[in-house]
Amino acid sequence: MTNGVRPWSTAGIEKKAAKGGYKKGTIEYDNFVQTNLAKAYNSFKVPTIAGYVILGGFGLLVLAVGLYRLICFLANRRRNGLPSKKTKLENVIQKSVTKKPFVGERHAQEYGKGLFTFRSPLRIHVIVLFFLFLANIIPLTAFYQILDPAKNTSWPNNRYAAQSRYFADRSSVLAVAQLPILFLLSGRNSPVVFVTGCSFNTLMLYHRWIGRLVAVLALLHGIAYTAYLVNLGKYTQYWWKYNWFPLGPVALIMFVFIIFTAHRPVIRKYAYDVFIAVHVLLVIAAIATLHWHVYLMDSASCHDFIIWIYVAIAFWAFDRAVRLLRLVLFSFDVRLKTKQRWSVGKVERFDNINVLRITVDLPAPSSALHTSVAYAGSHFYLYMPQIQALTSHPFSLVQHRITQDEQGQCKDQLVFCASIHKGITRVLNAKWQNKTLPIFLDGPYGVRHNILSFDDVFLFAAGIGITHILSLLDGVVEPNPTRSKNVHLVWCIRSIEMMAVAIEVLEDVKARLKVGEALQHVSISVFVTGQGTIPLPVLDNEKRSSPLDEKAVTPSGDMTITYAGTTLTSNDAIMAKSNNTCIHEGKEGLNSENDLFARLQRIAGSHPSSQFELTINQRRADIQQIISEQVTGQSAVFACGSDVFLDQIRNASLQVDASYFEEPFSW
Ligand SMILES: Cc1cc2nc3c(=O)[nH]c(=O)nc-3n(C[C@H](O)[C@H](O)[C@H](O)COP(=O)(O)OP(=O)(O)OC[C@H]3O[C@@H](n4cnc5c(N)ncnc54)[C@H](O)[C@@H]3O)c2cc1C
């Protein structure tokens, strides 16, 4: 469509003048060339250069963060993984920039009501966005070459028309120039995540803000162009004369609608699957319309537009291709070595709580691919084509087991726990309990925390947030530790039955703490705030003291659990009473109440080296107190749970200068 000549090329404009019958050396010729040079400069040169500056600046920022990560990684290797002492400057930066909400004390919780709710970004986000907005505002409002209106051959004596047209063109160029960034920040497999290591949550925050910026620019383009045409009295004429023209307003309406529907309280919060379907379809339609709007103009001015649109589409296609590749590698037996050709999941429900366990058997024999990729804190997207054809849902990997099939071949089994909501999890609960169905996995994703470099690790979970935290716990307790480490897990739950979700990982972690090797110490404090459907067992040795106070456990570490009026002191006795229906014991069912308490008692029972402690408290956890008393500036705090919980932990952790990391389970 275009010959690649930039609209501001003098040679191109002179050619145009000659074609238009202007004679070189005449005033008319000079005015024509000056008018077109000014137009090309004002309308295209300035915003195109600004567009490339924004793209380049973004690239440099990503590379700078990547370089910083690399330096940290190398420094960590040089220290042999030993923790580094945080400097005062690092503390100040974390406290006031990288982890501090822009307004108030809330980042996870929303401000406002109904449609007018918003989440405060962190200050670091605001700083980046400020420079991005500035990089847009400056080329929108400055660097105009003002031509004497009398000499303007395009809009003689009509400064308003000239100015509105320049502004309309600038806003359109800037909007399209940022499409590659917008699309680059939309993918799970974005190279930005790979280089910077940022969370998908952060990526989405920037994606949304840049999306809003692009929509505002498109809106400004529409308003200014309309003003320009109305001023010239050509508005109606353009609708009928140029086939590219009506596509502009159509694309604009779609962009505005995309932004409106992406606002969390509109649909995203209540029907995520509907939102995603609408979002993807609208984006495809809007980009196709925009492409034709530009393409049909058949103008040299649009050369860069088309490139930017194609680059944006390429980023999108790259993400989809990598997703597909990951999904195939994980979920299908590509080497056709086993009878089971794809991954199959079994859905079970825990007794008395709204949580499902989804156990996915991978098809191929255990390979290095499977065993090495799942890491602490990772999550997978689960596709269940029998329920939803195209959408997927993220779940944290709770456990990665190696099992043996009938032929004695080792296979990988991934365990997820999902609380029951109103969408796919409701269908799983209603129709797929104790049944199997094909479940395809796309993953693993999630921030790779350098958790092993901390010697004092605090893990905070509320409710189902334990899934992410268990994965971290699993990763931080090493089978062969080389230096001492303290790991504290604080878990707030409504009913004791919730502990069934964690029991296997806790058993596994306890078993991993070798007798006689006293380097690692794991203490777990569970806070049960409600009664649940069955009474909370009374821990005879539980004292109403500080939750992480060692006095809460008897010197030997022994615990006695009284359940349903019977004091259970011997594991054997409990096992005799229980109906032995847990899958852990190789029988049917997820957990019976008795079995849960038997297992709880077993893990609460003394560890020969007192390295493992479990206290269960029937009260609300005083997070502020726990953190101010136990957490230090050299501790790492990881949190996953409700919005209120996260904000509370972030604020308390920042007060004591701990390194803080969170997983909000939403974006
Ligand atoms: C990184 C990450 C890890 C997660 N790990 C777990 C976990 O281990 N256990 C667990 O119970 N939950 C986890 N979640 C939340 C879980 O993905 C949603 O609860 C689940 O998708 C809800 O499914 P639904 O269709 O039944 O929900 P709905 O009733 O439709 O929605 C319930 C809530 O979940 C959100 N949601 C729904 N679908 C998605 C989606 N595809 N992506 C993001 N959010 C969605 C909605 O916005 C809404 O706020 C995680 C979320 C994220 C982002």
Side-chain angles (χ1 to χ4, degrees):
M1 58 163 279
T2 64
N3 55 9
V5 176
R6 290 283 197 271
W8 52 86
S9 138
T10 313
I13 288 170
E14 283 176 350
K15 230 176 175 181
K16 208 169 144 190
K19 246 188 186 174
Y22 291 97
K23 278 222 166 83
K24 212 169 181 173
T26 61
I27 293 179
E28 288 77 19
Y29 178 91
D30 285 348
N31 284 349
F32 180 86
V33 171
Q34 287 312 313
T35 300
N36 281 280
L37 276 176
K39 187 173 158 190
Y41 174 86
N42 287 331
S43 286
F44 298 106
K45 190 172 181 179
V46 170
T48 303
I49 291 174
Y52 282 113
V53 167
I54 292 171
L55 292 173
F58 173 78
L60 281 179
L61 179 69
V62 169
L63 287 179
V65 177
L67 192 67
Y68 174 73
R69 273 186 84 210
L70 184 69
I71 291 169
C72 292
F73 172 77
L74 293 176
N76 187 44
R77 265 192 32 179
R78 220 174 316 125
R79 290 193 309 268
N80 281 331
L82 286 171
S84 68
K85 244 192 151 15
K86 270 199 327 189
T87 61
K88 266 191 180 162
L89 181 67
E90 281 173 317
N91 285 335
V92 170
I93 291 175
Q94 174 177 265
K95 214 174 196 161
S96 48
V97 183
T98 54
K99 299 287 160 90
K100 179 81 183 161
F102 179 57
V103 284
E105 299 288 298
R106 298 193 211 163
H107 171 55
Q109 294 171 82
E110 290 171 335
Y111 285 102
K113 263 196 174 163
L115 271 187
F116 301 97
T117 52
F118 73 98
R119 277 184 173 150
S120 167
L122 299 177
R123 286 185 184 167
I124 179 74
H125 302 146
V126 175
I127 292 172
V128 173
L129 290 171
F130 170 77
F131 283 108
L132 182 71
F133 291 164
L134 202 64
N136 278 273
I137 291 169
I138 292 173
L140 260 187
T141 53
F143 307 116
Y144 281 96
Q145 242 174 35
I146 305 297
L147 200 68
D148 180 356
K151 290 184 178 170
N152 195 320
T153 54
S154 293
W155 307 291
N157 296 314
N158 192 344
R159 186 184 279 250
Y160 179 88
Q163 207 56 44
S164 51
R165 176 63 193 269
Y166 297 153
F167 188 82
D169 288 339
R170 281 195 181 190
S171 45
S172 69
V173 178
L174 285 168
V176 182
Q178 285 162 103
L179 286 180
I181 304 182
L182 182 63
F183 277 68
L184 189 60
L185 295 177
S186 71
R188 291 173 197 170
N189 296 290
S190 172
V192 175
V193 172
F194 179 73
V195 177
T196 63
C198 77
S199 69
F200 191 58
N201 196 29
T202 305
L203 204 74
M204 281 293 104
L205 184 139
Y206 287 122
H207 172 72
R208 279 194 296 275
W209 277 102
I210 294 173
R212 285 168 197 150
L213 178 68
V214 167
V216 167
L217 288 167
L219 197 63
L220 290 176
H221 168 69
I223 294 170
Y225 214 95
T226 305
Y228 159 74
L229 288 179
V230 169
N231 176 268
L232 296 181
K234 290 183 177 171
Y235 187 69
T236 326
Q237 183 195 341
Y238 262 58
W239 271 93
W240 305 114
K241 193 171 172 189
Y242 301 108
N243 55 3
W244 54 264
F245 186 81
L247 296 174
V250 173
L252 172 59
I253 290 168
M254 285 197 255
F255 274 117
V256 173
F257 197 61
I258 289 170
I259 298 305
F260 177 69
T261 49
H263 186 44
R264 196 159 181 265
V266 178
I267 337 178
R268 193 152 54 91
K269 188 172 172 182
Y270 308 103
Y272 193 88
D273 297 324
V274 177
F275 156 71
I276 280 290
V278 170
H279 193 70
V280 172
L281 288 177
L282 274 175
V283 169
I284 292 173
I287 291 295
T289 314
L290 173 69
H291 174 262
W292 286 106
H293 175 61
V294 175
Y295 189 84
L296 291 174
M297 256 183 251
D298 198 16
S299 153
S301 335
C302 303
H303 178 255
D304 293 270
F305 281 47
I306 292 290
I307 294 175
W308 291 327
I309 292 174
Y310 288 163
V311 171
I313 295 171
F315 284 143
W316 183 81
F318 172 79
D319 175 56
R320 296 285 154 164
V322 179
R323 276 190 203 189
L324 189 66
L325 187 71
R326 280 176 184 258
L327 186 133
V328 169
L329 286 178
F330 248 98
S331 317
F332 290 86
D333 177 14
V334 278
R335 289 175 294 172
L336 306 177
K337 282 204 165 170
T338 50
K339 268 196 230 153
Q340 186 194 330
R341 288 289 143 82
W342 50 75
S343 47
V344 173
K346 184 169 184 197
V347 181
E348 295 155 290
R349 182 170 174 166
F350 288 96
D351 287 345
N352 302 320
I353 51 170
N354 276 334
V355 180
L356 300 170
R357 181 156 84 175
I358 306 170
T359 311
V360 184
D361 283 314
L362 300 185
S366 183
S367 70
L369 170 79
H370 298 142
T371 43
S372 62
V373 288
Y375 51 91
S378 61
H379 62 267
F380 283 77
Y381 289 84
L382 272 56
Y383 285 86
M384 300 172 214
Q386 268 174 280
I387 306 176
Q388 283 173 353
L390 295 172
T391 41
S392 59
H393 292 261
F395 291 100
S396 298
L397 177 65
V398 176
Q399 235 184 338
H400 177 193
R401 305 172 183 153
I402 312 282
T403 58
Q404 277 196 346
D405 64 11
E406 304 89 53
Q407 286 94 45
Q409 258 183 342
C410 283
K411 286 205 167 183
D412 294 80
Q413 204 172 57
L414 303 187
V415 181
F416 304 91
C417 293
S419 67
I420 302 165
H421 290 280
K422 293 182 185 147
I424 199 163
T425 50
R426 185 185 56 81
V427 180
L428 282 175
N429 178 49
K431 300 199 176 144
W432 293 94
Q433 262 190 56
N434 300 318
K435 292 184 190 154
T436 55
L437 75 164
I439 297 184
F440 304 144
L441 301 166
D442 170 20
Y445 293 99
V447 178
R448 283 173 193 266
H449 295 292
N450 194 8
I451 195 167
L452 288 175
S453 70
F454 295 98
D455 288 346
D456 196 29
V457 177
F458 280 79
L459 305 169
F460 287 89
I464 196 66
I466 193 67
T467 53
H468 173 74
I469 292 299
L470 284 176
S471 161
L472 293 172
L473 177 69
D474 193 45
V476 76
V477 176
E478 297 172 276
N480 299 305
T482 49
R483 59 176 202 270
S484 73
K485 184 162 292 189
N486 289 314
V487 182
H488 317 264
L489 166 60
V490 177
W491 187 18
C492 304
I493 49 179
R494 289 224 178 96
S495 73
I496 189 76
E497 292 95 324
M498 189 72 183
M499 288 206 71
V501 171
I503 201 108
E504 281 190 25
V505 177
L506 297 186
E507 284 169 344
D508 186 47
V509 164
K510 184 175 177 183
R512 222 181 299 160
L513 295 169
K514 284 188 196 137
V515 178
E517 170 273 291
L519 285 177
Q520 298 186 103
H521 183 265
V522 177
S523 76
I524 297 167
S525 299
V526 180
F527 291 84
V528 187
T529 51
Q531 287 296 335
T533 51
I534 54 171
L536 177 77
V538 177
L539 299 179
D540 288 355
N541 65 344
E542 187 199 342
K543 302 200 175 89
R544 301 284 178 229
S545 56
S546 162
L548 295 179
D549 189 340
E550 284 179 19
K551 277 178 270 167
V553 182
T554 55
S556 68
D558 265 329
M559 285 185 144
T560 306
I561 299 177
T562 309
Y563 169 60
T566 319
T567 302
L568 307 169
T569 50
S570 141
N571 292 339
D572 297 339
I574 297 164
M575 290 316 291
K577 276 167 169 250
S578 80
N579 55 13
N580 271 341
T581 54
C582 66
I583 41 172
H584 180 71
E585 302 294 333
K587 305 277 182 346
E588 279 186 16
L590 246 195
N591 59 274
S592 73
E593 292 160 9
N594 278 348
D595 177 62
L596 171 64
F597 294 116
R599 293 170 74 181
L600 261 182
Q601 196 198 32
R602 231 181 294 147
I603 53 170
S606 64
H607 185 275
S609 315
S610 287
Q611 292 162 254
F612 187 93
E613 294 170 7
L614 170 69
T615 57
I616 302 177
N617 311 274
Q618 191 169 24
R619 63 189 155 95
R620 188 172 277 277
D622 187 340
I623 299 289
Q624 181 71 39
Q625 190 197 353
I626 294 171
I627 292 180
S628 61
E629 284 180 4
Q630 311 280 329
V631 179
T632 70
Q634 294 309 313
S635 311
V637 174
F638 294 83
C640 185
S642 66
D643 298 343
V644 183
F645 185 74
L646 292 182
D647 283 337
Q648 219 181 354
I649 293 177
R650 181 185 322 97
N651 294 331
S653 303
L654 294 188
Q655 276 170 21
V656 294
D657 291 330
S659 302
Y660 176 73
F661 311 92
E662 69 184 18
E663 172 52 71
F665 273 3
S666 72
W667 35 68

